[in-house]
Amino acid sequence: MSSSYFDNKSVSIPISEDDDAVAGRTRPRVRRKRKKPGFRANEELTWRFFRLLKRWWPVFLFLPAAGLLILEASRIDRKPVPVVKTEPVPLNTEEKSVGNLNRLDPTTRVVGCLKLLPHEELQHLDLPVGKEPSSPIKTVVYISESHTPYVPLSRQQTQATRFNRFTGNQSLEQREQSFEVSETAEVHCGFYSENGGFKISDEDKNYMQTCDVVVSTCAFGGGDDLYQPIGMSESSLRKVCYVAFWDEITLAAQEAAGTRIGGDRFIGKWRVVVVRDLPFRDQRLNGKVPKMLGHRLFPRARYSIWVDSKSQFRRDPLAVLEALLWRTKSVLAISQHGARSSVYDEAKAVVKKNKATPEEVEVQLSQYHRDGLPEDKRFNGNKALAEASVIVREHTPLTNLLMCLWFNEVVRFTSRDQLSFPYVLWRLKVLKNINMFPVCTRKDLVNSMGHLRKAKPL
């Protein structure tokens, strides 16, 4: 009975190794495969190689590089040395820099648009013989207090137009008449009254009376430093005046920085003329006086070159006159605008860059639109929109009238003279021989430094 129970209800019971031993049986063991001696040696060699590479990898990189350098050096030694032609160094280059007055190398890269006469010919270059102007305008009469009684302006009118005792009170009717062409032109052109401001010492006036050719600049409000001109010939140094106009704010700022006017009133090549009692609160507008009214400041000058204070003039003045005026039979040369050609597009850019308020720009452009100024005014196939940081001109009755009309527009409307130049050029149709030179020529004329500080208003 018990036998059948175990047969039917069998239970599996695990047997341990001890039980096996007791049972007289042994469990088979799995034999591990031994590595061959050759394999172990290869593995050890590989690890040694990696350890060496990790430790000495800079040396492994340096050796091939050194080999290449030695190879190239040996090739260079075998090549003939080319002969390099060098241009003569300008005669006026300062041996030592004075502060930041001459900090640029005179061998600054030339763009190559401006084709000047060779250095040898510049030594014998002289002004052409004066001749009677062939334009329909023979004489320009500047309106002053003795011509028209001055009518005081209301405060609102003064803020809108900025006319004052320096400019005279030009009415809209007088503005229209000033564009009419006749042998004798009458026009407002600054210095309306002796009490109008822009006071210059008698000593400076006497010096300015001696200038036949003048390169001029100005820095009002202490905004910019004075950069010494470079690249002129000995002949130009004898024949050309370099005049920089400062106000008392700039004078104080330069003296505080250690730059002082010499006893002869010169700083380097520049004769510094200190102006007192400036006529406008807007320093940009004050800067238009020497920029546009050079014929009034230098009454005996035949030619002038204007350079903005943000630039360093780096070419021989007589060579520039020959290339831009005499060779092209022009009486005025001014650079084209680099970015735009439309006055209306320039107006949008002026407002966007906060260089004038939208309201005053709107007044100016509305007037030009009513007068019929085309949106894309062209002059002889070129842009009429000028950049105007460099102006080269002959002082003739016609160019003097143009500059007076231009000045009156920046006083009446905005001081952004790019907006008014195409308009004045369009209205004064008799002026044809103008050289609107490309931007690359301007880059050959000056080193652009940019404005260093914001000018302080009066």
Side-chain angles (χ1 to χ4, degrees), residues 136-137 179-181 371-374 377 379-380 398 401-402 405 422-434:
I137 296 177
F179 287 104
E180 296 177 0
V181 176
D371 293 340
L373 178 67
K377 173 71 183 95
F379 184 82
N380 293 340
L398 190 51
L401 176 61
L402 171 76
L405 296 172
Y423 176 82
V424 174
L425 195 61
W426 172 67
R427 290 293 303 269
L428 197 62
K429 294 179 172 57
V430 295
L431 185 55
K432 301 293 184 183
N433 46 344
I434 294 181

Side-chain angles (χ1 to χ4, degrees), residues 133-143 174 176-187 396-402 405 427-431:
S134 59
S135 71
I137 296 177
K138 307 298 183 184
T139 307
V140 179
V141 176
Y142 306 120
I143 296 174
Q174 288 174 322
E176 284 300 311
Q177 292 173 351
S178 65
F179 287 104
E180 296 177 0
V181 176
S182 61
E183 283 197 3
T184 300
E186 290 190 6
V187 63
T396 68
L398 190 51
T399 61
N400 293 345
L401 176 61
L402 171 76
L405 296 172
R427 290 293 303 269
L428 197 62
K429 294 179 172 57
V430 295
L431 185 55

Side-chain angles (χ1 to χ4, degrees), residues 180-352:
E180 296 177 0
V181 176
S182 61
E183 283 197 3
T184 300
E186 290 190 6
V187 63
H188 289 81
C189 200
F191 303 97
Y192 174 83
S193 167
E194 290 185 0
N195 299 319
F198 213 88
K199 302 292 181 59
I200 297 174
S201 70
D202 291 338
E203 185 176 353
D204 287 330
K205 286 181 180 178
N206 292 335
Y207 173 81
M208 292 158 64
Q209 290 271 0
T210 66
C211 298
D212 290 326
V213 181
V214 60
V215 177
S216 62
T217 188
C218 81
F220 293 149
D224 292 318
D225 290 344
L226 187 62
Y227 303 107
Q228 289 299 310
I230 56 178
M232 69 281 283
S233 63
E234 288 290 347
S235 177
S236 285
L237 282 175
R238 293 191 302 268
K239 300 173 183 176
V240 179
C241 299
Y242 292 86
V243 178
F245 294 94
W246 283 1
D247 65 346
E248 294 173 291
I249 298 176
T250 300
L251 177 64
Q254 291 297 316
E255 288 181 346
T259 302
R260 297 185 179 276
I261 302 174
D264 57 356
R265 297 180 182 256
F266 278 80
I267 297 179
K269 300 296 184 296
W270 292 105
R271 170 72 179 235
V272 179
V273 174
V274 178
V275 181
R276 292 174 170 82
D277 191 17
L278 292 175
F280 306 105
R281 289 185 57 82
D282 184 352
Q283 293 287 22
R284 291 175 300 180
L285 197 54
N286 285 322
K288 306 306 177 187
V289 177
K291 179 175 184 175
M292 298 178 178
L293 306 185
H295 56 284
R296 304 221 61 189
L297 292 166
F298 302 91
R300 292 188 55 188
R302 293 179 57 194
Y303 297 94
S304 66
I305 300 174
W306 166 262
V307 181
D308 274 3
S309 60
K310 65 183 179 182
S311 302
Q312 179 193 40
F313 190 62
R314 62 173 185 170
R315 290 289 171 259
D316 182 87
L318 295 183
V320 171
L321 292 174
E322 190 280 331
L324 298 183
L325 296 186
W326 306 337
R327 194 186 306 172
T328 61
K329 295 181 172 56
S330 302
V331 292
L332 178 75
I334 189 169
S335 64
Q336 300 175 22
H337 199 287
R340 288 168 289 279
S341 60
S342 168
V343 173
Y344 299 94
D345 289 341
E346 177 67 12
K348 295 175 184 176
V350 166
V351 172
K352 184 177 181 180

Side-chain angles (χ1 to χ4, degrees), residues 10-33:
S10 61
V11 179
S12 60
I13 301 174
I15 300 175
S16 65
E17 291 183 1
D18 294 336
D19 295 335
D20 284 343
V22 173
R25 295 196 300 258
T26 60
R27 189 176 182 178
R29 295 182 180 179
V30 179
R31 296 182 63 183
R32 295 181 180 178
K33 188 175 181 180

Side-chain angles (χ1 to χ4, degrees), residues 48 94 96 222 232 324 331 346 350 357 446 456:
R48 285 184 180 179
E94 302 285 347
K96 294 183 180 180
M232 69 281 283
L324 298 183
V331 292
E346 177 67 12
V350 166
T357 65
V446 297
K456 295 179 181 179

